[in-house]
């Protein structure tokens, strides 16, 4: 009885962790550049090289090797994103998400996370899943959230594995599957994420075992439904088609 009460308490409390941890994500989203990167890339950036443009934007955003200028950083990110640089698209999404150097806008953030997620960016997939789970900047959809958590977890994002495990354990957005939940809790625990090891142990004490060979090891929904399409991105604000829109400038 004591064990059951304790388990329920932990379960209720930890579901709150599906809300995105902004402080943690913000720290992780700070670009890593060296003082020499600005000088080494500015000429290439001016010639239209998207990767160089993004690196110059990183330098300007962090004030590394050059005076900090968020407005100029935004300019270079937009240039790189317009030439399909996935990291630049992710940077723009983060700036919109946090309202950093631009007016905070969840709809725009969801859109840009979606564009980066469609190219397989792990943290964009995690953020897009968070947005779908919480209905932030788009219509909430737990099933799509689960799909994107799975894709992020498959790319090694421990936080995504942890959140996917919670959803599998409780049957949120997909059929309940405690065996697969144990698998993803252990994946998160291997990366020392939060209370993943503790929750994995709770499942083991309940008699749950890791999935056998007959269970698909990747997509937790594979045995329930056919393969899903690529990460579902947010629709472009004000758009009725999938045609490309010109990157917005800083507001």
């Amino acid at each position: 009885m004591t064990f059951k009460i304790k388990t329920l308490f932990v379960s209720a409390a930890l579901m709150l962790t599906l809300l995105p941890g902004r402080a943690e994500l913000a720290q992780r989203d700070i670009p890593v550049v060296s003082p020499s990167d600005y000088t080494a890339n500015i000429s290439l950036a001016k010639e239209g090289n998207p990767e160089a443009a993004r690196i110059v934007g990183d330098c300007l955003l962090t004030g590394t090797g050059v005076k900090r200028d968020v407005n100029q950083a935004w300019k270079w990110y937009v240039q790189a994103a317009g030439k399909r640089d996935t990291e630049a698209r992710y940077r723009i999404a983060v700036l919109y998400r946090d309202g950093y150097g631009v007016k905070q806008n969840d709809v725009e953030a969801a859109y840009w996370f979606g564009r980066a997620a469609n190219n397989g960016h792990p943290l964009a997939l995690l953020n897009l899943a968070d947005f779908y789970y919480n209905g932030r900047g788009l219509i909430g959809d737990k099933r799509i959230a689960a799909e994107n958590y799975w894709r992020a977890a498959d790319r090694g994002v421990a936080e995504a594995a942890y959140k996917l495990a919670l959803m599998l354990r409780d049957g949120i957005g997909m059929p309940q599957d405690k065996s697969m939940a144990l698998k993803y809790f252990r994946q998160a625990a291997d990366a020392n994420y939060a209370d993943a090891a503790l929750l994995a142990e709770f499942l083991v004490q309940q008699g749950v075992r890791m999935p056998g060979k007959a269970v698909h090891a990747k997509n937790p929904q594979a045995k329930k439904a056919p393969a899903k399409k690529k990460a579902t991105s947010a629709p472009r604000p004000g758009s009725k088609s999938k045609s490309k829109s010109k990157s917005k400038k800083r507001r």
Side-chain angles (χ1 to χ4, degrees):
M1 183 65 179
T2 302
F3 173 74
K4 290 182 178 179
I5 293 174
K6 183 177 180 180
T7 302
L8 290 173
F9 175 79
V10 173
S11 174
L14 289 177
M15 278 308 298
L16 296 176
T17 61
L18 280 175
L19 295 172
R22 289 280 67 85
E24 179 183 345
L25 284 176
Q27 181 65 33
R28 183 169 53 190
D29 289 331
I30 296 175
V32 178
V33 285
S34 67
S36 62
D37 283 341
Y38 180 82
T39 302
N41 287 279
I42 186 61
S43 295
L44 287 173
K46 290 179 178 179
E47 292 172 5
N49 183 290
E51 182 179 1
R54 185 240 307 155
I55 293 173
V56 167
D58 289 345
C59 292
L60 287 162
L61 184 71
T62 59
T64 305
V66 66
K67 183 178 179 180
R68 183 171 172 274
D69 190 328
V70 179
N71 291 336
Q72 285 298 308
W74 180 265
K75 167 190 168 183
W76 290 111
Y77 286 149
V78 169
Q79 176 177 309
K83 295 187 177 181
R84 301 184 179 182
D85 185 275
T86 301
E87 284 292 341
R89 290 175 174 178
Y90 179 72
R91 298 280 195 276
I92 291 174
V94 169
L95 295 180
Y96 271 126
R97 182 196 70 194
D98 298 337
Y100 191 65
V102 67
K103 184 177 179 180
Q104 198 278 334
N105 189 318
D106 283 345
V107 175
E108 285 287 349
Y111 169 74
W112 285 104
F113 279 134
R115 295 195 71 178
N118 280 338
N119 289 332
H121 192 289
L123 293 181
L125 285 162
L126 171 64
N127 277 272
L128 186 62
D130 284 341
F131 273 47
Y132 269 112
Y133 190 93
N134 296 296
R136 181 177 176 183
L138 39 70
I139 297 174
D141 190 317
K142 299 295 195 296
R143 179 185 61 82
I144 296 177
E147 291 173 1
N148 286 297
Y149 282 136
W150 164 66
R151 288 183 171 86
D154 195 47
R155 289 164 173 78
V157 181
E159 182 177 346
Y162 179 78
K163 292 178 176 179
L164 177 60
L166 288 174
M167 296 181 77
L168 282 162
R169 183 197 64 185
D170 298 334
I172 298 174
M174 68 188 88
Q176 185 181 56
D177 190 332
K178 291 187 177 182
S179 182
M180 289 298 291
L182 177 59
K183 173 185 183 295
Y184 284 101
F185 274 136
R186 284 185 170 171
Q187 178 179 324
D190 287 343
N192 298 314
Y193 186 83
D195 297 305
L198 176 64
L199 294 185
E201 182 59 28
F202 281 159
L203 289 179
V204 170
Q205 290 181 29
Q206 293 171 23
V208 177
R209 295 292 179 264
M210 291 282 283
K213 293 182 179 180
V215 178
H216 291 273
K218 290 188 176 181
N219 190 340
Q221 299 193 77
K223 61 177 181 178
K224 301 291 184 179
K228 301 297 180 180
K229 58 184 180 179
K230 290 177 68 177
T232 306
S233 61
R236 181 63 170 167
S239 173
K240 296 183 180 180
S241 68
K242 294 183 178 179
S243 59
K244 296 182 179 179
S245 301
K246 186 176 180 181
S247 301
K248 289 191 175 184
K249 296 183 179 180
R250 178 180 179 274
R251 299 179 178 182

